Amino acid sequence: MVYLDAAEIDDYCQMIPVDESHVQFASTMIDAYVGTNNGQSKFTSNEITEIVKPNRKGVLILKNDPVIDILSIQAIHTRDINEDGVEIEPYLYDFDGSKYVYLLNNTSAMTYSQIFSHNARFYKVRYNYGFAEIPREVKTACAMLAMNISQVSTFTALNSMTTLDARFSLTDPNLFTNEIKSLLSRYRF
């Protein structure tokens, strides 16, 4: 994934001429520094279905963070061989955009899903996680890194380089500066 499109290159990289190959390599280096989710960029939106057991306080802790939207939650009961799932209504849980889903104990209106949600062995949670759009800090870091790559004379044959070369360049303080690292530090989860 490229973190700056052609129109944004002019907006973010005004001081030093940068082309798309510089941005492509800078994006690859950011992925190497920040990490990926199952081989995909952390800055995209992904959908997953996860099986979660609640903790003692009734909180479901999801593996991926940040959560964009919860699509559905099913309370799963095991009866003999079959697994019976009951859809949990949205007013019976709450989440704040992090990986924690709080199951609420709303006893004012008893519903079918509320009766069975308390005795569930585990929950199937289907949700979107990641980022709906690329954060501004990541775009700024990509632009800074692309400008640094443009300046370094050893990157003249940029099109022939592989993504494995990015791992060695992360230690170069002239290329991957502390300012770039500070912009990306909060995304290294």
Side-chain angles (χ1 to χ4, degrees), residues 49-113:
T49 300
E50 187 177 325
I51 295 175
V52 183
K53 290 186 178 183
N55 66 8
R56 286 181 268 162
K57 295 182 179 181
V59 178
L60 303 175
I61 302 173
L62 305 174
K63 290 180 184 174
N64 301 295
D65 186 33
V67 176
I68 297 172
D69 187 24
I70 294 181
L71 304 174
S72 69
I73 298 179
Q74 281 188 334
I76 305 296
H77 307 277
T78 305
R79 294 192 178 138
D80 297 329
I81 298 173
N82 299 330
E83 286 183 353
D84 296 328
V86 176
E87 191 77 25
I88 305 297
E89 284 97 2
Y91 71 89
L92 294 174
Y93 60 85
D94 189 22
F95 81 102
D96 57 1
S98 66
K99 62 181 180 177
Y100 301 103
V101 179
Y102 304 95
L103 300 173
L104 304 176
N105 189 8
N106 187 356
T107 57
S108 62
M110 199 57 101
T111 63
Y112 180 75
S113 67

Side-chain angles (χ1 to χ4, degrees), residues 34-55:
V34 173
T36 59
N37 288 331
N38 298 325
Q40 296 183 1
S41 171
K42 286 186 176 181
F43 305 109
T44 60
S45 175
N46 301 299
E47 182 180 320
I48 191 169
T49 300
E50 187 177 325
I51 295 175
V52 183
K53 290 186 178 183
N55 66 8

Side-chain angles (χ1 to χ4, degrees), residues 1-9 11-13 23 26-27 30 43 132-147 180 183-184 187:
M1 173 168 202
V2 179
Y3 297 130
L4 290 174
D5 60 20
E8 292 174 326
I9 291 174
D11 294 338
Y12 282 88
C13 305
V23 172
S27 300
I30 289 172
F43 305 109
E133 59 184 46
I134 299 169
R136 187 170 184 83
E137 294 93 3
V138 175
K139 290 183 178 191
T140 303
C142 183
M144 291 170 67
L145 191 54
M147 288 186 285
I180 295 171
L183 284 171
L184 298 173
Y187 301 108

